[in-house]
Amino acid sequence: MTLGIQSSQTSSRTARAERFLTEWLAKADIRFNGDRPWDIQVHNPDFYPRIMAQGSLGSGESYMDGWWDCEQMDEMFSRLLGARLDHELPTNWILVMDVIKSKLINRQNKRWSKTVAQQHYDLGNDFYKDMLDPFMQYTCAYWKDAQNLNQAQEQKLDLICRKLGMKRGMKVLELGCGWGGFAHFAAERYGCEVTALNISEEQVAYAREYNRNLPVDIQLKDYRDATGLYDRVVSIGMCEHIGYKNYGTFFEVIHRSLKDDGMALVHTIGGNASVVGMEPWLDKYIFPHAVLPSIRQLSHQMEHRFVVEDWHNFGPDYDKTLMAWYENFVRNWPRHKEKYGERFYRMWSYYLLNCAGSFRGRKNQLWQIVLSKYGVPGGYVSVR
């Protein structure tokens, strides 16, 4: 009798969850078990109450578990996030606890900040080489006049150098250098001397070898430990790992590292609203302790430190970049399948396509911000 009651309650809960989610997704023209490529195909009915209880974390984990599929997941997320429907799900305890932890703890202090390097960026250089371009750029490319990923990433690097008026002999500080692609480009193409800081051991090892014949000094060091004075300071794709408690420190490091007539450029993903933490699934599986800054959070810390010379948003280019990474990932997956396994494949697919959809739906943006200490004499000329 008890088992029958429990089974009936479970069935009723599943039915209620399915009805709610069906009506919810209809607002974005998404159906369960429909015939369009962006419709969700449900393989396990426990999917419905799991989403109601766990939100985005349950969505990602249930996909990794094989509970659902979607032929065109990037478009599904574009419709979902573009309609801002993620805010209409009931608040769950996972999200509440993440917010509390983010407010009580500096999750991006020197000790905690190493987590993302160890979990994500140290995943394997060979894996990333098969997904990225020859410059190993793991940030948004610039697709204006570009026909493919390699051209778009090279244009991004050149765009940064042109925005900063790079010249031979300039001393450049890069905060968070990835695999050393920008340092290599700035040294080889523009004749700059580059000091680059990074806390990922795998990336540092690769970057040192990649730049061994150039005037580039790759240091295994936290950005907060930067020393010296430079003509230019660059940060490409690191601000997402700074954390809202540390934006002031980040901009103070840039300010103290710049000569009085110097300029800086910050290249970062940004959100449309101020938050204190990352979406739970991405935080757990992809970018631990990351958080996307808002205009208000960044501009508040720029006050009394900088003149904002330029603020360029080309967020839709990240959609193209992520889809190009996804194509490379799928094409080269047979080389990595044995090492990483099927669950990793589903996790990585969900990550890349979810993020592509978020930029296509304009939930997330990509900013390049040019800063000077006292203003460029005569005015700064924007470069696009």
Side-chain angles (χ1 to χ4, degrees), residues 29-290:
D29 192 26
I30 301 169
R31 302 171 190 160
F32 290 122
N33 303 314
D35 57 3
R36 287 91 54 85
W38 60 84
D39 287 332
I40 298 171
Q41 309 303 316
V42 179
H43 310 309
N44 186 330
D46 290 338
F47 163 81
Y48 302 110
R50 187 172 183 178
I51 297 301
M52 294 298 293
Q54 299 178 344
S56 62
L57 180 62
S59 172
E61 289 186 335
S62 62
Y63 182 79
M64 291 164 63
D65 292 339
W67 287 18
W68 63 276
D69 280 295
C70 180
E71 181 182 344
Q72 199 173 345
M73 190 157 48
D74 52 304
E75 181 60 20
M76 183 272 288
F77 278 118
S78 173
R79 290 167 178 266
L80 175 65
L81 299 174
R84 306 300 188 258
L85 295 183
D86 52 318
H87 298 299
E88 295 186 13
L89 281 177
T91 302
N92 62 81
W93 67 270
I94 296 170
L95 185 60
V96 172
M97 289 304 299
D98 282 346
V99 170
I100 292 173
K101 285 190 294 184
S102 296
K103 286 184 174 292
L104 293 178
I105 304 169
N106 185 351
R107 302 179 72 199
Q108 298 81 18
N109 61 26
K110 286 186 178 182
R111 180 170 66 89
W112 285 91
S113 64
K114 294 179 181 179
T115 305
V116 70
Q118 295 164 352
Q119 178 174 324
H120 191 78
Y121 295 107
D122 290 347
L123 189 61
N125 290 339
D126 289 340
F127 172 79
Y128 283 110
K129 284 177 69 175
D130 276 347
M131 190 179 80
L132 306 178
D133 65 290
F135 285 102
M136 293 286 279
Q137 290 298 290
Y138 195 26
T139 57
C140 182
Y142 189 56
W143 288 85
K144 183 181 180 181
D145 302 324
Q147 302 302 313
N148 55 57
L149 178 65
N150 293 356
Q151 292 177 1
Q153 290 292 15
E154 187 171 352
Q155 285 196 16
K156 185 268 298 292
L157 295 174
D158 194 59
L159 178 70
I160 292 170
C161 291
R162 288 188 293 117
K163 283 184 174 184
L164 289 175
M166 297 286 204
K167 296 179 181 178
R168 180 170 298 277
M170 280 187 171
K171 296 185 182 299
V172 180
L173 173 66
E174 185 181 8
L175 302 175
C177 67
W179 288 273
F182 171 79
H184 191 281
F185 188 91
E188 184 178 63
R189 302 283 183 91
Y190 282 83
C192 298
E193 299 177 23
V194 184
T195 299
L197 277 53
N198 195 342
I199 59 173
S200 165
E201 294 184 6
E202 288 289 324
Q203 287 185 327
V204 165
Y206 184 98
R208 284 173 174 169
E209 176 61 24
Y210 184 34
N211 289 282
R212 60 191 174 94
N213 295 319
L214 292 169
V216 174
D217 178 20
I218 307 290
Q219 300 180 8
L220 185 64
K221 184 183 290 186
D222 189 277
Y223 74 93
R224 284 162 280 217
D225 297 325
T227 57
L229 278 177
Y230 300 86
D231 299 291
R232 302 290 187 263
V233 177
V234 179
S235 173
I236 307 171
M238 191 189 77
C239 194
E240 300 90 334
H241 302 296
I242 296 296
Y244 80 104
K245 290 180 178 290
N246 306 300
Y247 295 141
T249 300
F250 174 66
F251 284 110
E252 185 55 37
V253 169
I254 294 176
H255 188 270
R256 76 169 188 241
S257 301
L258 267 184
K259 296 179 180 177
D260 285 349
D261 61 349
M263 287 196 295
L265 183 144
V266 176
H267 172 117
T268 182
I269 299 172
N272 295 326
S274 299
V275 296
V276 298
M278 179 66 82
E279 181 274 315
W281 185 86
L282 285 170
D283 181 84
K284 181 176 181 179
Y285 290 98
I286 307 298
F287 297 117
H289 313 311

